[in-house]
Amino acid sequence: MKIVGGKWSNWSGGVVCKPKQIVAPKNEVGLAAAVRTAEGTVRVPGSGHSFTPICESDGTIVDLAAFTGFKKVDGEKQTGTFAAATPLWAVGPALHVKGFGLKNMGDIDRQTLAGVVNTGTHGTGPTLGNFSSEVAGFRLVQATGEVIDCSPDAHEEIFRAGRTSLGMLGVMTEIAMNVRPAYKLVEKNFLLSPKEVFSQLDTLIASNRHFEFFWFPYADNCICKSLNETDREAPAPRSTEAMYQRGEEHGSDARTFELINEVLPYAPFLLKPAHRMFSRFMPGPDRVRWSHELFPSPRTTRFNEMEYAVPVEKGPDCIREIAQTIRKKRINTGFPIEYRTVAADDVWLSPFYQRASATIAVHQYHRVDTAELFGACEAIFRRYEGRPHWGKRHTRTAQDVAAVYPKFDQFRSVRRALDPKGKFLNSHLRAIFG
Ligand SMILES: Cc1cc2nc3c(=O)[nH]c(=O)nc-3n(C[C@H](O)[C@H](O)[C@H](O)COP(=O)(O)OP(=O)(O)OC[C@H]3O[C@@H](n4cnc5c(N)ncnc54)[C@H](O)[C@@H]3O)c2cc1C
C-alpha cells in the first residue's frame, strides 16, 4: 500500500486519493470498531494493484498491514487459511513447507490474497478457475462491526456473493483457499506467428495445463508460454524473502522495454522494430520449478490495463479484431495483447460465472494516455459479450453490467442488506452497485 503525505495511490499511479483518515487497526476487535465508527466512505485496499478506482476514498482508508500471515492447513479438506492481507509471495512458500500449493496463480505475486479474491483475479488454464472460485471460506467484518464466518455451510448467500465483491460486503480478515499437494511445473516459451497460433490454438489450450500467448500486433509475432506438471528435478524452493526480492527485480530487458516505451509516443515509426525486438525478450530454455515460483514473473514497468472475459469460443475472433484495429488506427502501444483461458465458476460477480472464457488484455505505458487504445478495444469487447475485469479499466454502467452478469441484481440485494447506508461504496462503486 503506497501512502505519501496522507495520499493513497495505486500501483500504476493512475488513481490517487486523499482520505480524511488512514487507520491501521492491530486486530479484529480494533478493525470492527474502526469500521463501525468511521464516518464517510470506508475502503480497504490490498496492495493497490487494481487500475480502477475501487480503493479510492475521501473518508477512511483502512491499512490491513497487521492482517498478514499463515494460519493453518487442513489436510483432510485440502484447504489453507491465511490472514486476508497476506501477499501472494508469502502464500506459496508457507503452503509449500506444509506440502501444499495453490491450484493456479496469475502473472504476478505482488497482490494480497484478499485483493485477488475480491476482484476475481485469474491465471490461465481451461480446467482451472480464478482465485475467487477456489475460496473455501472467509471471515468478514460487516459495516455494523459484527464478524461472521462465511462458507457453503454458513451464511451461504453471503459466501456466494462475497467471493468476488470488491470489498463492498465488508472487510475480510481471514480466507481459506482450496489447495492441493505441492507440485512442480515445467515452463516452455516459444515464438509462433499468429497464423500458427490460431491454426493450433484448441490443441495448444487442451494439451497444456496452462497456455497463454502475448501477441505483438506490429511484429506479427506471438510469445507462447506453457506450464505443465512434471516429476523432473527442481531447485530447492526460495525463501519467502527471496520470493519478495525476485518480484522486484528490474532486469536489463525490463530497462530496455521501459526506455523504448518512453520514446515510442514521440517516434511512432519505431513501433514495428520495437515490437519485433520485444517479441524476442523471452526467458531462456525450459525451466523446472515448484509451482508458486513459476506462475509469477516480475512486472516492474508501470502500465494501465483493460481486460475483458469473452465466451471462450469467441476469443480468437475477438483478439484478431483487437490486433487489426490497433494496426488500422496506428494506435501507439509498446505492449502485446495477452490471451488466456479460464474455467467457468459459480461466483456471482466473477467474469467467469457459468461461462468458460478467454480473457484478452491490452496494456498502455503508465505515462501514455489510455483513451485511444482502451476506447477502441472496449467497443470491440462489448460486441463480444465481454465482462470486464473489476480491477482493470472499464467504463461500464450499471445497465451494461446487469446485461452481462446474470446475478447482478441478486448481488445488489445482498449488498444492500449488509450495508444499507453504503458505507463501503465510493463514487465509482455507487454508480454501478448503489
Ligand atoms: C502488474 C500487474 C499484474 C497483474 N496480473 C494479473 C493477472 O495475472 N490476472 C488478473 O486477473 N489480474 C491481474 N492483475 C490485477 C490484480 O490482480 C487485481 O487488481 C487485484 O485485485 C490486485 O490485488 P491487490 O492486493 O493489489 O488489491 P487492491 O487493488 O488493493 O484491491 C482490490 C479490491 O479488493 C478489495 N479488498 C482488498 N482487501 C480486502 C479485504 N481484506 N476485505 C475485503 N475487500 C478487500 C479492495 O477494497 C478492492 O475493492 C494485475 C495487476 C498488476 C498491476
Side-chain angles (χ1 to χ4, degrees):
M1 176 132 105
K2 198 168 149 205
I3 299 167
V4 180
K7 284 187 182 163
W8 178 90
S9 61
N10 73 338
W11 176 85
S12 72
V15 183
V16 182
C17 66
K18 196 167 187 339
K20 282 205 183 74
Q21 58 166 354
I22 296 168
V23 296
K26 294 274 170 285
N27 52 39
E28 204 173 75
V29 173
L31 172 64
V35 169
R36 192 179 57 247
T37 56
E39 284 177 14
T41 304
V42 178
R43 296 306 297 152
V44 185
S47 65
H49 276 61
S50 295
F51 304 96
T52 38
I54 50 180
C55 296
E56 198 174 73
S57 175
D58 54 7
T60 300
I61 289 261
V62 182
D63 179 350
L64 285 189
F67 293 76
T68 62
F70 169 75
K71 298 279 178 192
K72 62 175 182 199
V73 288
D74 182 326
E76 206 171 302
K77 291 187 183 152
Q78 303 254 303
T79 57
T81 304
F82 288 85
T86 308
L88 296 183
W89 49 262
V91 168
L95 283 177
H96 187 84
V97 169
K98 303 286 175 190
F100 291 93
L102 291 173
K103 294 180 189 173
N104 200 3
M105 291 176 74
D107 278 350
I108 59 161
D109 61 5
R110 303 294 95 179
Q111 313 97 316
T112 61
L113 190 55
V116 291
V117 161
N118 270 278
T119 48
T121 289
H122 62 92
T124 188
T127 60
L128 298 159
N130 65 4
F131 274 97
S132 320
S133 69
E134 293 296 348
V135 171
F138 56 83
R139 204 165 152 77
L140 189 74
V141 174
Q142 301 177 74
T144 53
E146 192 193 335
V147 186
I148 51 173
D149 286 298
C150 305
S151 71
D153 306 318
H155 301 286
E156 193 221 343
E157 199 172 47
I158 300 175
F159 174 75
R160 301 227 162 271
R163 288 169 292 168
T164 299
S165 56
L166 305 171
M168 286 184 282
L169 303 191
V171 186
M172 290 183 189
T173 55
E174 275 182 26
I175 302 176
M177 295 295 296
N178 295 323
V179 294
R180 52 153 289 177
Y183 57 109
K184 288 173 280 186
L185 292 169
V186 55
E187 177 190 278
K188 290 181 195 294
N189 292 279
F190 47 99
L191 211 55
L192 292 178
S193 70
K195 205 169 158 200
E196 289 167 317
V197 168
F198 293 117
S199 69
Q200 20 175 333
L201 188 59
D202 290 347
T203 313
L204 286 166
I205 290 169
S207 61
N208 290 296
R209 188 175 193 264
H210 312 266
F211 174 78
E212 66 186 306
F213 67 92
F214 300 85
W215 183 354
F216 286 90
Y218 290 104
D220 250 340
N221 260 339
C222 303
I223 294 180
C224 300
K225 175 177 168 182
S226 71
L227 296 173
N228 285 295
E229 269 190 80
T230 182
D231 287 333
R232 283 162 58 183
E233 278 295 301
R238 288 177 162 92
S239 64
T240 309
E241 175 60 21
M243 282 304 288
Y244 170 75
Q245 289 302 342
R246 193 192 72 143
E248 300 298 310
E249 278 163 17
H250 195 56
S252 61
D253 281 357
R255 284 197 296 276
T256 309
F257 183 64
E258 195 163 299
L259 196 73
I260 295 177
N261 271 287
E262 288 282 342
V263 174
L264 273 180
Y266 312 100
F269 57 91
L270 287 179
L271 275 170
K272 200 166 183 167
H275 275 217
R276 283 202 175 132
M277 181 186 187
F278 296 156
S279 65
R280 310 267 155 197
F281 287 173
M282 280 196 294
D286 299 0
R287 295 188 298 163
V288 177
R289 299 281 186 282
W290 290 95
S291 63
H292 63 280
E293 297 200 358
L294 266 196
F295 288 127
S297 307
R299 292 266 193 269
T300 47
T301 300
R302 308 274 149 161
F303 57 81
N304 284 298
E305 182 175 348
M306 167 178 280
E307 182 181 68
Y308 272 73
V310 301
V312 70
E313 64 283 1
K314 297 188 176 177
D317 282 345
C318 184
I319 190 173
R320 273 194 286 252
E321 205 174 324
I322 295 276
Q324 213 171 33
T325 301
I326 290 174
R327 283 195 301 251
K328 207 164 123 204
K329 292 181 179 267
R330 293 290 298 168
I331 297 176
N332 195 319
T333 174
F335 286 74
I337 314 162
E338 186 176 9
Y339 190 96
R340 294 181 273 188
T341 51
V342 185
D345 62 42
D346 66 349
V347 181
W348 290 4
L349 280 193
S350 163
F352 316 106
Y353 179 75
Q354 291 189 348
R355 194 168 91 175
S357 306
T359 64
I360 299 171
V362 287
H363 311 69
Q364 187 55 284
Y365 187 55
H366 70 124
R367 272 201 257 273
V368 177
D369 186 58
T370 55
E372 195 186 10
L373 176 66
F374 291 177
C377 293
E378 196 166 37
I380 298 170
F381 289 134
R382 286 179 90 103
R383 279 194 280 103
Y384 284 86
E385 300 162 55
R387 293 177 180 163
H389 185 307
W390 297 114
K392 304 190 185 180
R393 293 283 188 86
H394 67 88
T395 62
R396 307 306 290 268
T397 62
Q399 218 177 359
D400 295 333
V401 172
V404 286
Y405 283 88
K407 289 284 188 182
F408 180 65
D409 285 338
Q410 284 90 329
F411 177 85
R412 291 214 302 187
S413 311
V414 171
R415 193 212 64 71
R416 221 175 8 249
L418 289 183
D419 181 21
K421 292 194 177 137
K423 186 173 253 187
F424 293 117
L425 296 182
N426 61 19
S427 56
H428 168 79
L429 295 168
R430 191 179 301 278
I432 304 172
F433 299 98

